Amino acid sequence: MRDIPGTLGRVSVERSPVKPSRRQPGTATSAGQPGPSRWHALWVTLVAGFMILLDVTIVAVALPSMQRDLGASPASVQWVVSGYALTFALALVLAGRLGDAIGRHRIFLGALAAFVVCSVAAGAAPTITWLVIARMAQGITAGCLAPQNSALIQQMFTGAERARAFGLFGAIVGISSAVGPITGGLILALATGPQGWRWIFFVNVPIGAVALVFGYRLLPRVAPGKRGHLDLPGVALLGCGVLAVMLPLVLADAGGLRRLWWLFPAGVVLLVGFGWWERRVATHGGQPLLDPRLITGTRGYATGAGLATLYFMGFSGVWIVFALFFQNGLGYSPLQSGLAVTPFAVGSAGAAVVAGRLVERMGRLLTVLGLVGVVVGLAAAALLLRFAPPSLAVWAAVPALLLGGIGSGFVISPNVTMTLREVPVRMAGAAGGALQTGQRLGGAVGTAALPGTYYLVLASSRDDYRLAVAASVGVGIVAICAALVIALIEWRTDRGPTATPCPPEVAHGHCHATHI
């Protein structure tokens, strides 16, 4: 380990214990100098990432089947979705910090193996209690795996290649939410019978097993960061704060917002206390769970994280609202309901890949244009579903949903790239975990607020489904417009082309990453 002179702070460089002559395929000798199999390793992480994010939404279409087969109440079966989302969010930052400390490939492989085991347990669940416990355990393993994805991209790629890799990663994040209902509908259509819902979990087993084998062979192995002591007070404050904020939201359908509203201010107090504690640990030379200088000293991180939280607040709940409208309002089957939003998924996938190549030239302007596209596309779709003849409304909304999807592809992956581009590789796991925690919190708010608006309008308008879908999508658009404001402010203050990221852990005097 050595110190690099001429920086604004001391930056430690970790030397890899792996000898170049005995380097394994895909092994990195140091951060930013990956082996030749880095693109193959990337696809392993993308497949695993798609699988865990898909499980957030794929289960929703199977809830009625689970309820009938297991004799469960509506409130208990809702925990199959809510429990996964809750434990997913709770594990993210801690898992990211552990990956930075003891090795990302170790956490990735261990979490992936545990996710497969939990999928088997969920698919074989004999009771609703067993299923909920298995899903909560599955959420923990997903939360441990998720931050390693972005951290491994930081570790394996630099410059334009990193932007392309994040473009693919952003495509996975965007597509997984949109295609969850489609995939769930297809599985239920193929796996006929009262217990066909079990294949929604069993399908993870062969995919996860293959990813595990290739991940063991291809993921880079570098020396872990400085281990030190785990910030247990920080873990407790953050965990309790996130739990207090999310619990009323995930229990919204069971009256959680009304009964547990007092947890919101308690959660805010705990999260403020977490920020104070982390600053204190950093000031005294300790190792915080999430270094506050990541937010205050890394250009683009705070605004990118805020933008992502607001965008997922408006983006995530839209799919539940569309599913409710298509199935209950228009009488579509789960598969037909999923296929109706396919244009958005297709547009998002294609645009995200292209965005990875454009973000280096266009910077935050790309996100601004994408957010405008999402707002215009969703607003047009909502108006068409509200006023067009029911027999033509869905077909008329196809171009609008396609535009919204293209815009979304220009938002998610470029924002991930610009948020994490100047984060030092040694902190990539914690930074990625915090970013995804914001996304999960935003998603929890959206999935509670938008369906809540839908049911409220439905009750007050005597079952006017078309008015309900337009009003609830409008609530989502408000959150997306707030994200657009953040993007515009950052674009105006940072007009120039996107800067090339500093070499990991090695800084120059002008690089913002050296502030940490």
Side-chain angles (χ1 to χ4, degrees):
M1 180 181 295
R2 59 190 176 90
D3 293 329
I4 304 299
T7 65
L8 297 179
R10 297 179 64 181
V11 180
S12 298
V13 178
E14 304 290 347
R15 296 187 181 274
S16 172
V18 181
K19 296 180 180 180
S21 60
R22 299 180 61 186
R23 189 171 64 200
Q24 301 176 28
T27 299
T29 56
S30 65
Q33 296 177 342
S37 300
R38 61 191 180 278
W39 289 103
H40 297 142
L42 173 67
W43 281 108
V44 173
T45 67
L46 294 181
V47 168
F50 180 81
M51 183 171 60
I52 63 172
L53 291 172
L54 186 72
D55 263 42
V56 176
T57 56
I58 190 176
V59 177
V61 297
L63 291 181
S65 300
M66 296 176 189
Q67 184 178 347
R68 288 192 301 269
D69 186 45
L70 299 177
S73 66
S76 61
V77 80
Q78 183 61 34
W79 269 101
V80 177
V81 176
S82 302
Y84 183 86
L86 180 64
T87 54
F88 193 141
L90 288 175
L92 284 165
V93 176
L94 175 59
R97 177 69 184 89
L98 289 175
D100 292 338
I102 67 177
R104 291 153 195 143
H105 74 284
R106 294 178 181 175
I107 300 295
F108 182 94
L109 295 175
L112 180 57
F115 184 87
V116 172
V117 172
C118 291
S119 296
V120 174
T127 64
I128 188 62
T129 301
W130 179 290
L131 178 58
V132 169
I133 293 173
R135 280 287 284 175
M136 295 182 74
Q138 194 181 36
I140 294 174
T141 63
C144 290
L145 193 152
Q148 316 312 325
N149 282 333
S150 57
L152 285 166
I153 290 175
Q154 292 279 88
Q155 178 178 317
M156 294 189 294
F157 299 94
T158 59
E161 281 195 340
R162 180 180 290 177
R164 288 176 57 196
F166 272 130
L168 294 170
F169 176 67
I172 292 301
V173 174
I175 296 169
S176 59
S177 298
V179 304
I182 305 172
T183 308
L186 283 171
I187 292 175
L188 290 178
L190 295 173
T192 57
Q195 299 197 21
W197 61 267
R198 298 182 184 276
W199 285 99
I200 284 180
F201 303 111
F202 288 147
V203 74
N204 293 331
V205 177
I207 298 172
V210 172
L212 194 62
V213 171
F214 282 96
Y216 179 80
R217 293 176 57 86
L218 296 172
L219 290 181
R221 295 165 176 79
V222 297
K226 185 177 180 181
R227 293 175 185 248
H229 298 286
L230 185 63
D231 178 17
L232 293 178
V235 172
L237 286 169
L238 179 62
C240 292
V242 172
L243 179 63
V245 172
M246 285 197 66
L247 191 59
L249 296 171
V250 299
L251 293 176
D253 291 344
L257 290 175
R258 183 180 64 257
R259 292 184 291 106
L260 302 175
W261 63 268
W262 55 272
L263 283 176
F264 283 119
V268 171
V269 171
L270 287 167
L271 292 176
V272 171
F274 169 74
W276 172 83
W277 174 259
E278 296 301 279
R279 184 175 292 277
R280 181 178 183 275
V281 172
T283 301
H284 288 78
Q287 296 181 38
L289 180 66
L290 183 66
D291 196 320
R293 289 168 293 184
L294 182 68
I295 298 173
T296 60
T298 304
R299 183 167 63 96
Y301 185 82
T303 52
L307 188 155
T309 301
L310 288 169
Y311 181 72
F312 273 78
M313 193 180 298
F315 168 79
S316 300
V318 166
W319 311 115
I320 298 178
V321 168
F322 279 151
L324 290 171
F325 172 71
F326 291 136
Q327 293 184 46
N328 297 334
L330 299 182
Y332 284 13
S333 69
L335 178 57
Q336 290 173 321
S337 173
L339 291 175
V341 297
T342 299
F344 193 102
V346 172
S348 179
V353 175
V354 174
R357 301 177 183 273
L358 295 178
V359 66
E360 289 293 313
R361 295 202 305 268
M362 299 181 65
R364 184 56 74 184
L365 176 60
L366 187 63
T367 312
V368 171
L369 295 175
L371 286 166
V372 170
V374 175
V375 169
V376 173
L378 288 181
L383 291 173
L384 287 167
L385 293 176
R386 172 70 179 92
F387 294 109
S391 59
L392 300 176
V394 176
W395 292 104
V398 166
L401 289 174
L402 181 62
L403 174 61
I406 293 172
S408 183
F410 286 160
V411 173
I412 296 177
S413 60
N415 186 62
V416 171
T417 302
M418 288 181 284
T419 303
L420 299 177
R421 66 188 177 191
E422 292 190 13
V423 172
V425 173
R426 63 188 170 84
M427 301 179 67
L435 176 62
Q436 293 195 53
T437 299
Q439 294 175 354
R440 293 302 108 206
L441 286 172
V445 173
T447 53
L450 270 64
T453 302
Y454 179 86
Y455 285 120
L456 181 64
V457 174
L458 203 62
S460 62
S461 64
R462 297 182 180 179
D463 293 340
D464 188 339
Y465 290 97
R466 302 172 72 190
L467 177 61
V469 70
S472 52
V473 172
V475 172
I477 291 173
V478 170
I480 297 171
C481 285
L484 177 59
V485 171
I486 293 178
L488 283 168
I489 293 173
E490 185 176 5
W491 175 55
R492 289 180 61 86
T493 57
D494 186 21
R495 283 294 185 91
T498 302
T500 301
C502 298
E505 311 297 346
V506 181
H508 303 287
H510 64 274
C511 182
H512 294 269
T514 61
H515 292 221
I516 296 177

